[in-house]
Amino acid sequence: AALHEAKLRGRDRTEVFTGTLRTRAVDRLSVETGLRRALRRDELRLHYQPQVSLETGRICGAEALIRWQHPEHGLIGPGDFIPIAEQAGLIIPIGHWVLTEGCHRLHLWQTELPNGSELTMGINLSGRQLLNPHLIEEIGDVIDRSGIDPGRLEIEITESILLDDVDRSISVLERLKGLGVQLALDDFGTGYSSLTYLRSFPIDVVKIDRSFVDGIGADEGNAAIVRSIVELSRSLGLRCIAEGVENEADLEVLRQIGCHEVQGFLLAQPLTADDAQRLISYDPQW
């Protein structure tokens, strides 16, 4: 337990074993064991948070977000198990499941909904997945088997992951682009080298981190930052999506500065597949 904690905190350090470390180790092992069971017993779920175009006021896509339907603890959010899945190496099979399920859902929407061909599906890619040597082949195979239009699939990768190894990241992204998918830079603005590397990555979409979006209706400083990101994105020919929109004032500012799309609790919380499909079919306008 102490060894694991030392590695987790950056290696080359000393950690003294305590009862707290033992509790963490036991909890971590319990989650890891449960996740292995979850993969076998189909306990994982995807919820979908709609994204709205500010040009049309209509739903234009959704981001797929994983949940764990635990047999004892109910629905568990990703923050409580994804970090452990990363450490245990389970993120590869979990990520493959998310991709397969998300593409299957996108295919259903494309074939069953009147505006389905115009919808996009955002699916997150973890750092461990980015290092998977078979990643490109696996994504290409899922696209082929699902029958989706690859141009409507958005692979979301966080800025911090890409900056770990810029040259390798660019190589992987270029191979992903070869599949015909869209690439989204997630949590934009949280890294120190955002502007430096933005032109280097072959991306299509910039997702503005919620920490900048929250309160821009009353915070001129954050509003100026978001305005700069939107203007920069537009000048580079990139779509811009603002995350974490939770009030009308923030939405109005984003509309005024020309942000392309938004998502957040003001518009819709992450929904089950059936609820998301019903909402898209209803075709609400904002």
Side-chain angles (χ1 to χ4, degrees):
L3 177 63
H4 177 82
E5 190 72 13
K7 290 180 177 179
L8 197 62
R9 291 174 175 265
R11 303 175 182 273
D12 298 327
R13 60 180 290 129
T14 300
E15 289 290 337
V16 178
F17 174 78
T18 65
T20 300
L21 290 186
R22 176 179 176 80
T23 299
R24 290 181 189 171
V26 171
D27 290 345
R28 185 171 58 249
L29 180 60
S30 175
V31 172
E32 180 181 338
T33 302
L35 281 174
R36 296 183 187 278
R37 178 197 62 208
L39 282 166
R40 295 194 308 268
R41 299 183 181 180
D42 192 28
E43 294 173 2
L44 299 179
R45 303 286 185 270
L46 281 186
H47 285 193
Y48 302 89
Q49 185 166 40
Q51 297 166 332
V52 174
S53 167
L54 291 183
E55 297 173 355
T56 66
R58 289 185 163 93
I59 294 174
C60 57
E63 179 182 358
L65 301 167
I66 192 170
R67 302 288 187 266
W68 177 8
Q69 188 64 55
H70 195 283
E72 298 175 5
H73 305 301
L75 201 64
I76 300 177
D80 293 328
F81 64 89
I82 288 298
I84 295 175
E86 287 267 12
Q87 297 167 18
L90 291 172
I91 198 64
I92 299 297
I94 289 176
H96 189 269
W97 178 87
V98 170
L99 180 68
T100 302
E101 182 67 18
C103 287
H104 170 69
R105 184 59 51 184
L106 178 59
H107 174 72
L108 292 178
W109 289 353
Q110 289 179 342
T111 55
E112 295 180 3
L113 297 177
N115 63 334
S117 62
E118 302 172 2
L119 298 174
T120 60
M121 178 70 74
I123 294 180
N124 293 277
L125 200 68
S126 75
R128 185 69 68 91
Q129 287 176 279
L130 202 65
L131 296 174
N132 178 8
H134 306 295
L135 174 67
I136 309 302
E137 292 77 8
E138 290 179 1
I139 293 179
D141 180 61
V142 171
I143 290 173
D144 290 340
R145 287 190 288 107
S146 65
I148 65 168
D149 172 4
R152 311 311 294 178
L153 175 63
E154 289 183 2
I155 300 295
E156 300 186 10
I157 306 170
T158 61
E159 179 185 7
S160 58
I161 292 173
L162 296 179
L163 295 180
D164 285 341
D165 186 340
V166 173
D167 292 337
R168 190 182 189 286
S169 295
I170 291 174
S171 175
V172 174
L173 294 185
E174 288 176 344
R175 294 177 65 198
L176 284 170
K177 286 291 291 181
L179 297 175
V181 304
Q182 301 284 301
L183 298 178
L185 187 60
D186 199 12
D187 298 338
F188 183 79
T190 57
Y192 293 107
S193 301
S194 301
L195 302 182
T196 305
Y197 289 106
L198 187 57
R199 291 185 60 185
S200 301
F201 296 130
I203 61 173
D204 307 283
V205 182
V206 170
K207 300 194 72 175
I208 307 173
D209 187 70
R210 65 181 61 246
S211 61
F212 295 107
V213 174
D214 184 30
I216 60 172
D219 188 327
E220 293 183 3
N222 270 4
I225 292 174
V226 173
R227 182 180 293 106
S228 298
I229 295 174
V230 171
E231 291 175 354
L232 176 63
S233 300
R234 283 186 170 275
S235 69
L236 295 174
L238 307 176
R239 278 178 33 243
C240 208
I241 302 176
E243 299 181 284
V245 180
E246 298 188 359
N247 62 70
E248 292 285 354
D250 293 349
L251 179 63
E252 183 57 31
V253 171
L254 290 166
R255 185 178 281 114
Q256 291 174 1
I257 65 179
C259 187
H260 295 96
E261 300 170 20
V262 292
Q263 68 182 88
F265 286 0
L266 174 66
L267 307 161
Q269 297 189 25
L271 304 169
T272 65
D274 290 341
D275 287 344
Q277 182 157 333
R278 277 192 288 268
L279 182 62
I280 296 171
S281 299
Y282 177 69
D283 192 23
Q285 294 189 44
W286 282 269

